[in-house]
Amino acid sequence: MKSIRTLRIIPSLAVTLLVAAVLAACGEKKTDAPQAAAVPEATDKVVIGVYGGDWEKNIRAAGLEQYAKDNKLNVEIVPGADAEWLAKLRASNGKSPAYDIVVFQPDSVQRAAAAGLLQPLEAANIPNLAKLYPTVQEKFTKDGKTYAAAFSLGQLGLAYRTDLVKTPPKSWLDLWSPEYKGHVAISSPTYAAGLQFFAGLTHALGGELKNDADVDRTFAKLAELKGNAVAFPDSPGAIQTLLERGDAWVVPYWDGRVFALQKSGLKVGFTYPSDGPVVGAANWVIAKGAPNLANAYKLLDFLSSDKVQKAFSDGSLYGMTNRDVQYNDELKGKVQVGEEAYKKLIWIDYETATPKVTDWTNRWSQALGNGK
């Protein structure tokens, strides 16, 4: 049974309508100004789309269910992924979408915003938005409108076996070191880590993905890695197995995943490359036409709080976006966070990359001998 909501949210728009009504009653002259939009209808629920597995476990543990109890609200948690949510948002086209809030990667935010499927975030309804790192939030702002509230940041760097590597890598270009011959693993551009590595390498070579000549130089460099590469994993499980067996000594991987492997006892280290780690961000968006808009705003503010982000970080081992997060003793000596650190992050130009992934994957296979 759905709980009855007792805490009513009245946005500032209600005040505007009330003033208009009073003026009309006092005989004010009518104007040609357009009518204001209707106040979001008060409801007793909110639907949120989250990633499944450990991600769902961590966000629940961060206080999502307690939030529902405290606010006598039915919070419907729906596990899923970007492609599914984006397809459903397109199908609804801003009219009563199946979700109020979903978590999107940067490329999905860009595509959904461009298609007019997202509700621009009103800062007045999300006080915690002001506490998110500006250098991250600016990536989701266009023409003065903000379309996402950044949440967690997975930074792609270099994982390496501490018991097998004599000289830890410091740069993306260190993968070409003769010391690692036959023990480097890299993923193809079809996998998120592979596309991020490709962007990181292009940046390390002084180029940009939008320049064809720079991309050509990246592929030429990749061809030189053929002698060092031993495997081409396209899943977290495959990467973990390669590291555990010692087949791969060095592999591009995310910081939080590596910290989790360390916690499990594997002798693995992590380097934030000097030429810039590549970011993979999880970000909250509100769907245009959200049926439970008032509740969506309130929940988004809760998710953006330092308390929730700290709890999520404790479980995921990733850096977060609220500047007030106090990391636990184990993590704060490892994770690279803060405005200065985040300024060095490499963000993928998805507007350029997404249409070219198939072509780049084919060229990647040719450069590395079809992965053989």
Side-chain angles (χ1 to χ4, degrees):
M1 179 181 294
K2 295 181 180 178
S3 56
I4 299 176
R5 185 170 175 239
T6 60
L7 197 61
R8 189 178 182 189
I9 304 171
I10 304 178
S12 59
L13 182 56
V15 177
T16 302
L17 293 176
L18 179 59
V19 171
V22 171
L23 291 175
C26 293
E28 283 291 320
K29 293 182 179 181
K30 294 182 180 180
T31 68
D32 294 328
Q35 290 185 340
V39 178
E41 181 182 353
T43 66
D44 67 347
K45 69 179 291 186
V46 62
V47 182
I48 179 172
V50 305
Y51 299 129
D54 287 341
W55 214 98
E56 179 184 359
K57 176 182 175 182
N58 289 330
I59 196 62
R60 285 179 181 272
L64 198 54
E65 292 175 327
Q66 188 60 48
Y67 170 85
K69 293 179 181 178
D70 292 344
N71 290 279
K72 296 181 174 58
L73 189 67
N74 174 22
V75 178
E76 185 177 338
I77 303 171
V78 183
D82 287 42
E84 171 191 354
W85 296 323
L86 188 56
K88 289 186 176 180
L89 291 186
R90 287 186 186 280
S92 68
N93 196 28
K95 298 179 181 178
S96 298
Y99 312 94
D100 298 299
I101 299 177
V102 295
V103 58
F104 268 163
Q105 293 297 307
D107 57 327
S108 297
V109 175
Q110 185 269 323
R111 281 184 282 174
L117 303 175
L118 301 182
Q119 168 72 33
L121 303 182
E122 297 291 342
N125 294 326
I126 313 171
N128 280 313
L129 201 63
K131 297 183 179 180
L132 305 186
Y133 286 109
T135 193
V136 177
Q137 278 303 111
E138 68 183 16
K139 301 297 181 181
F140 304 109
T141 301
K142 186 175 182 179
D143 297 330
K145 295 181 179 180
T146 299
Y147 292 95
F151 185 63
S152 68
L153 301 179
Q155 300 179 57
L156 190 85
L158 294 166
Y160 62 94
R161 281 288 298 264
T162 56
D163 56 334
L164 300 175
V165 170
K166 294 180 180 179
T167 309
K170 296 180 180 179
S171 160
W172 293 117
L173 299 177
D174 286 344
L175 291 178
W176 281 256
S177 170
E179 180 182 335
Y180 307 147
K181 186 174 182 178
H183 294 288
V184 171
I186 59 170
S187 305
S188 78
T190 56
Y191 179 48
L195 181 58
Q196 290 174 18
F197 165 64
F198 187 82
L201 176 58
T202 301
H203 178 82
L205 294 171
E208 297 182 35
L209 294 180
K210 64 182 180 181
N211 298 327
D212 291 341
D214 295 341
V215 170
D216 291 343
R217 185 163 61 248
T218 299
F219 280 115
K221 187 66 177 177
L222 277 173
E224 298 173 6
L225 188 63
K226 188 174 179 180
N228 276 22
V230 65
F232 309 93
D234 277 354
S235 71
I239 291 175
Q240 181 173 337
T241 297
L242 287 166
L243 286 169
E244 288 175 340
R245 291 178 178 175
D247 295 334
W249 294 357
V250 186
V251 57
Y253 208 27
W254 294 290
D255 52 356
R257 296 265 188 178
V258 177
F259 299 151
L261 292 177
Q262 291 174 344
K263 201 170 184 178
S264 71
L266 186 62
K267 295 179 179 180
V268 60
F270 182 81
T271 294
Y272 291 98
S274 58
D275 27 27
V278 185
V279 66
N283 318 280
W284 298 113
V285 299
I286 295 180
K288 182 179 179 181
N292 307 290
L293 181 58
N295 293 340
Y297 266 123
K298 188 179 178 186
L299 178 56
L300 181 52
D301 187 56
F302 173 75
L303 293 168
S304 299
S305 69
D306 59 312
K307 181 180 178 180
V308 170
Q309 290 203 8
K310 195 272 183 190
F312 186 85
S313 178
D314 285 346
S316 68
L317 306 181
Y318 283 122
M320 308 302 293
T321 56
N322 187 307
R323 62 173 180 265
D324 293 336
V325 172
Q326 298 296 313
Y327 297 92
N328 62 45
D329 292 338
E330 176 188 12
L331 191 58
K332 68 182 179 182
K334 297 179 180 179
V335 68
Q336 185 170 286
V337 298
E339 186 71 7
E340 290 306 310
Y342 290 165
K343 284 181 180 178
K344 300 175 184 177
L345 294 176
I346 299 168
W347 292 77
I348 295 179
D349 174 9
Y350 284 105
E351 192 170 358
T352 294
T354 300
K356 296 183 178 181
V357 167
T358 299
D359 176 59
W360 287 353
T361 300
N362 292 334
R363 294 184 63 182
W364 182 92
S365 297
Q366 294 171 4
L368 291 163
N370 293 307
K372 297 180 181 179

